Amino acid sequence: MSEDQPSVLCDIDRRGVATVTLNRPHVNNAYNGDMVQQLLDGTRALAANDDVRVIVLKGNGKHFQAGADLAWLNDVRTGTPEENLAVSVRTTDAVRELDQCMKPTVALVQGACFGGGTGILAACDVVIASDDAIFSIAEVRWGLHAGPIIPQLAAAIGPRQVRRYAITAERFDAATAEKLGLVHTVCARDALDETGARIVDSILMNGPGAVSETKRILFETSDLYIGDDLAARLAEGHSQQRQTDEAAEGLLSFAEKRNAAWYRS
């Protein structure tokens, strides 16, 4: 697939269901700068569109989203501190905008969902996964950290579980993701769209204003909003970690298909 294709596709049907598709299947939908910007801009546009009732997120191809494009990250980290901060601000805001969008959001997950992909799920209202899906909060494996998505993950699965999975970078299956609360429903892969359609139809039966107001009340009463000051601190720490020697070694170990130098078996 050509990089000239949009990294994120969007289609709005006559019911007001917006289907947002991550569209870099040749790299398992790993995100780069274009995908982050398109997701950020698209979420803002859909949130402001009165004709949109529901937002459905999908991944094109075998996998939902394989985290960051590490080759792209390696290029980013060699830029200036200001350039790195700008990337982290957009990354933080993309997940924050999705999380705080007052339209109902449904994610359909197949295959791999790593790193930032888990943050997308934590930012959605309903998550349905195929039984062959696999998950990992993987950033620390490469000398990075998941700062921009940790608040959403903590809200979704609880700090205790984040302490395990964001520190170990373990992979876990769909049944475990459901038990943790990252996923609401697990189904066969060939039933993913049908299962999602039933959830969407259930949402469409409800008053759109009442749904948005329910989300707003939940965010206000549960302290789920991420303010600008916290978002700025998360982005700054994220960008700074990317430019450490540790991150350089982690990304190089990935490129060279070896264990990082800090690992002693």
Side-chain angles (χ1 to χ4, degrees), residues 27-81:
V27 289
N28 301 328
N29 293 320
Y31 72 81
N32 62 2
D34 286 341
M35 179 178 280
V36 169
Q37 189 65 57
Q38 289 175 33
L39 185 60
L40 175 58
D41 293 342
T43 301
R44 285 174 172 167
L46 293 173
N49 187 340
D50 291 338
D51 293 330
V52 172
R53 296 279 312 277
V54 185
I55 301 171
V56 177
L57 283 95
K58 304 173 68 173
N60 188 12
K62 292 176 60 179
H63 303 286
F64 176 74
Q65 211 281 322
D69 183 328
L70 297 188
W72 167 72
L73 275 188
N74 202 41
D75 288 339
V76 168
R77 69 170 306 279
T78 62
T80 66

Side-chain angles (χ1 to χ4, degrees), residues 74 96 110:
N74 202 41
R96 185 167 65 135
Q110 80 285 0

Side-chain angles (χ1 to χ4, degrees), residues 244-265:
T244 62
D245 291 341
E246 185 172 279
E249 167 59 14
L251 293 169
L252 183 62
S253 71
F254 169 78
E256 295 180 349
K257 296 180 171 57
R258 60 170 174 81
N259 291 321
W262 56 73
Y263 178 70
R264 297 289 184 269
S265 59

Side-chain angles (χ1 to χ4, degrees), residues 31 36 68 72-73 84-100 115-120 122-123 137 139-140 144-155 162 166 224-227 230-242:
Y31 72 81
V36 169
W72 167 72
L73 275 188
N84 270 266
L85 179 58
V87 168
S88 290
V89 167
R90 288 193 294 271
T91 302
T92 302
D93 284 347
V95 178
R96 185 167 65 135
E97 289 284 342
L98 178 61
D99 185 34
Q100 297 177 180
T118 64
I120 290 174
I137 308 169
E139 284 83 351
V140 292
L144 306 166
H145 67 65
I149 62 173
I150 283 178
Q152 289 81 14
L153 285 166
V162 175
L224 294 176
Y225 283 112
I226 307 300
L230 175 56
R233 293 197 302 273
L234 292 171
E236 183 175 8
H238 188 243
S239 67
Q240 290 174 349
Q241 182 65 28
R242 190 189 300 116

